[in-house]
Amino acid sequence: MSRRELREQIFKFVFRIEFNDKSEMSEQEKFFFEDYELELKEEHAKHISYKSGQIIDKLEELDEQINQKAKGWKTERMNKVDLTILRVAVYEILFDEDVPTGVAINEAVELAKKFGTEESAGFVNGVLAKFA
């Protein structure tokens, strides 16, 4: 599985926090991996689980950072797909030394094109540019 595919799965899992309480995420993780259509290598499942857990643990801090940079927007008002993409990317920019900032931004824009609205890619790029 490529890094892009792993990031997409992390995005899909972290998106579940919008519909479930933080305390339910371990159960959601079980459902997530049971529902997975492809055969996942154990190392990939561990990566998805670890990184998703890190992002969810830092949600308040990530949202605070996003709120500081997204002038005129608050996370409460953002499209939930865009917000989840921003959370993943901001986590990578601030806390994941293995992911260069430019890569985090480019990958976030690609996720926005795939899962967001017509305006999502531009919005995500604009917010993340302030982190660069």
Side-chain angles (χ1 to χ4, degrees):
M1 182 172 276
S2 71
R3 292 183 125 206
R4 177 172 281 179
E5 292 167 325
L6 286 169
R7 185 177 285 105
E8 185 175 314
Q9 297 311 311
I10 292 165
F11 157 76
K12 288 178 180 179
F13 182 74
V14 172
F15 186 70
R16 290 179 179 224
I17 196 70
E18 296 300 328
F19 307 99
N20 298 281
D21 191 75
K22 211 173 192 180
S23 64
E24 298 170 345
M25 292 311 286
S26 65
E27 185 177 15
Q28 285 299 313
E29 182 175 320
K30 186 177 123 188
F31 295 144
F32 181 79
F33 289 117
E34 282 176 0
D35 290 345
Y36 202 76
E37 308 92 32
L38 303 174
E39 288 293 318
L40 259 184
K41 292 182 181 177
E42 186 176 340
E43 66 192 71
H44 293 151
K46 284 182 179 180
H47 178 78
I48 293 165
S49 177
Y50 174 77
K51 197 163 180 180
S52 297
Q54 291 294 304
I55 293 166
I56 291 167
D57 286 345
K58 295 182 181 306
L59 279 182
E60 288 180 28
E61 186 176 349
L62 295 170
D63 287 357
E64 185 178 308
Q65 291 289 326
I66 293 166
N67 282 328
Q68 288 177 10
K69 302 286 186 185
K71 300 280 190 232
W73 283 90
K74 293 293 177 203
T75 53
E76 300 87 38
R77 289 185 46 228
M78 289 180 188
N79 170 311
K80 299 306 180 192
V81 170
D82 296 351
L83 176 57
T84 303
I85 293 167
L86 288 170
R87 287 171 169 166
V88 172
V90 171
Y91 172 83
E92 289 181 337
I93 291 167
L94 299 179
F95 301 106
D96 193 336
E97 295 177 7
D98 294 335
V99 180
T101 298
V103 171
I105 294 170
N106 289 338
E107 291 295 323
V109 169
E110 291 303 314
L111 282 172
K113 288 177 183 176
K114 185 171 184 176
F115 295 103
T117 66
E118 282 186 31
E119 295 83 23
S120 292
F123 176 74
V124 166
N125 189 52
V127 173
L128 294 177
K130 296 175 183 174
F131 286 90

